[in-house]
Amino acid sequence: MIVQAGIRITEEEKNKIDVVDFGLSHLEIEGVQVLTLVQTERISVKVLVLFHNQTEPEHWHPPVGNDPGKEETIRVVSGTVFFYVQGENTFKQGFLVKGKEKYYTLMHEIILRPGDQITFQPGEKHWFQARDEGAVMYSFSSVARDALDQFTDPNIVRIVKVVD
Amino acid sequence: MIVQAGIRITEEEKNKIDVVDFGLSHLEIEGVQVLTLVQTERISVKVLVLFHNQTEPEHWHPPVGNDPGKEETIRVVSGTVFFYVQGENTFKQGFLVKGKEKYYTLMHEIILRPGDQITFQPGEKHWFQARDEGAVMYSFSSVARDALDQFTDPNIVRIVKVVD
């Protein structure tokens, strides 16, 4: 999907794509696939992939020490992505994960297509979802400390598995 | 060139591409074209375009206040880019701009192709050049303060013009 989206990556990068199931063990429902392109003490650049109807659970990036928390811009490369943020309930085209409704509290819907982007301030809650064709996105951010991300769903453990 | 390289941009973005001639008034020889995708107080994401045989002059990103200076990763999307950095003289495939030889002091050659990337630490001098087909790159960095960049060539003024 990354290559089909027009992103050129090296063979080495193909071998280091992380599959994140958030410890929920139903990857195809709640999960995300991540290729980290840049990861330093100051910035992070990732390619995010969502499969057909896959949802990244509601979360936010908390302060860490002197850092106010991760600031993140997500830019869509391919597919349509349904983002949910604070604001008036305009929920229309998304769907809530069955049995997990209470862990999705944000209902303000923003639909982004290739070339569109959205910026999340530190601490700003969000969740997002792909539909039929899945989606490929860039995530540009200040330093990422994914293990410290906070989730609405208390069952979530931020576990990263590396695909062979 | 940006669209041909597979990067989807909006109509609004097409209208805000900066053409940078560094005040030297020979854009096609020394210059760069820049589309800023993200510019905050913490991070910067740009698309850089070099035309056929166009050279970005030797420069570095100095400290600014409490900031040690811009840390930058350049990732090639299309074309071949010849980078020159500190190190042993391995100059082979590049060329020096005529009459400007003394303003290009770095001769360690690194050749990057699509999917390859290089990271410059704050203060680390570099220059780069495209050849036959030109090149399109991403620049991922900590906050950019381009007006404060330092150049080996004292004739350079960091002037930005916006294309209509």
Side-chain angles (χ1 to χ4, degrees):
Chain A
M1 285 176 69
I2 294 172
V3 172
Q4 283 177 347
I7 299 175
R8 291 283 293 266
I9 60 174
T10 64
E11 287 303 312
E12 188 188 348
E13 287 170 336
K14 285 179 189 172
N15 291 321
K16 59 170 200 170
I17 296 173
D18 293 326
V19 174
V20 181
D21 78 349
F22 302 103
L24 299 172
S25 299
H26 59 183
L27 176 71
E28 70 286 2
I29 297 172
E30 291 176 300
V32 64
Q33 296 64 233
V34 181
L35 170 58
T36 299
L37 300 182
V38 180
Q39 176 75 293
T40 75
E41 284 301 308
R42 299 177 75 187
I43 65 168
S44 174
V45 178
K46 300 175 177 185
V47 179
L48 308 180
V49 177
L50 286 181
F51 297 145
H52 166 81
N53 284 349
Q54 199 179 25
T55 301
E56 162 125 2
E58 187 172 292
H59 68 288
W60 64 98
H61 311 291
V64 180
N66 292 327
D67 186 330
K70 187 172 88 165
E71 171 200 289
E72 179 179 31
T73 295
I74 296 181
R75 184 177 175 95
V76 178
V77 179
S78 73
T80 300
V81 188
F82 300 78
F83 285 87
Y84 299 93
V85 299
Q86 292 279 6
E88 185 190 357
N89 185 333
T90 56
F91 195 81
K92 194 170 176 186
Q93 299 198 49
F95 66 91
L96 296 181
V97 175
K98 280 182 187 168
K100 295 296 200 84
E101 293 80 357
K102 65 181 170 186
Y103 303 136
Y104 290 85
T105 68
L106 304 172
M107 295 291 151
H108 187 70
E109 186 174 81
I110 298 175
I111 302 173
L112 297 191
R113 298 184 172 81
D116 294 336
Q117 65 186 36
I118 186 169
T119 298
F120 301 108
Q121 296 304 316
E124 191 177 347
K125 280 189 191 176
H126 55 286
W127 63 278
F128 50 97
Q129 187 171 74
R131 302 305 289 278
D132 298 344
E133 78 275 61
V136 177
M137 296 151 269
Y138 279 111
S139 164
F140 308 121
S141 74
S142 57
V143 57
R145 297 184 179 91
D146 298 339
L148 301 176
D149 284 350
Q150 301 287 305
F151 292 84
T152 304
D153 181 353
N155 302 301
I156 287 180
V157 182
R158 187 66 166 85
I159 292 174
V160 172
K161 293 177 185 166
V162 176
V163 172
D164 285 331
Chain B
M1 285 176 68
I2 294 172
V3 172
Q4 283 178 347
I7 300 175
R8 291 283 293 266
I9 61 174
T10 64
E11 287 303 312
E12 189 188 346
E13 288 169 337
K14 285 179 189 172
N15 291 320
K16 58 170 200 170
I17 297 174
D18 293 325
V19 174
V20 182
D21 77 349
F22 302 103
L24 298 172
S25 298
H26 59 183
L27 177 72
E28 71 285 3
I29 297 172
E30 290 176 300
V32 64
Q33 295 64 233
V34 181
L35 170 58
T36 300
L37 300 182
V38 180
Q39 175 76 293
T40 76
E41 284 301 308
R42 299 176 74 186
I43 65 167
S44 174
V45 178
K46 300 174 177 185
V47 179
L48 307 180
V49 177
L50 287 181
F51 297 144
H52 166 81
N53 284 349
Q54 199 179 27
T55 301
E56 162 125 3
E58 186 172 291
H59 68 287
W60 63 99
H61 310 292
V64 180
N66 292 328
D67 186 331
K70 187 172 88 165
E71 171 201 289
E72 181 178 31
T73 295
I74 296 181
R75 184 177 176 94
V76 179
V77 179
S78 73
T80 301
V81 188
F82 300 79
F83 286 87
Y84 298 93
V85 298
Q86 292 280 4
E88 182 191 0
N89 186 334
T90 56
F91 195 81
K92 193 171 176 187
Q93 299 198 49
F95 66 90
L96 295 180
V97 175
K98 280 184 188 166
K100 295 295 199 83
E101 292 81 357
K102 65 181 170 186
Y103 303 136
Y104 290 86
T105 67
L106 304 172
M107 296 289 150
H108 187 70
E109 187 174 79
I110 298 175
I111 302 174
L112 297 191
R113 298 184 173 81
D116 293 337
Q117 65 186 36
I118 185 169
T119 297
F120 300 107
Q121 297 304 316
E124 190 178 346
K125 279 188 192 177
H126 54 287
W127 63 277
F128 49 98
Q129 187 170 73
R131 302 305 290 278
D132 298 345
E133 79 274 61
V136 176
M137 297 152 269
Y138 279 111
S139 165
F140 307 122
S141 74
S142 59
V143 57
R145 297 184 180 91
D146 298 338
L148 301 176
D149 284 351
Q150 301 286 307
F151 293 82
T152 305
D153 180 354
N155 301 303
I156 288 180
V157 180
R158 188 67 166 84
I159 291 173
V160 172
K161 293 177 186 167
V162 176
V163 172
D164 285 329

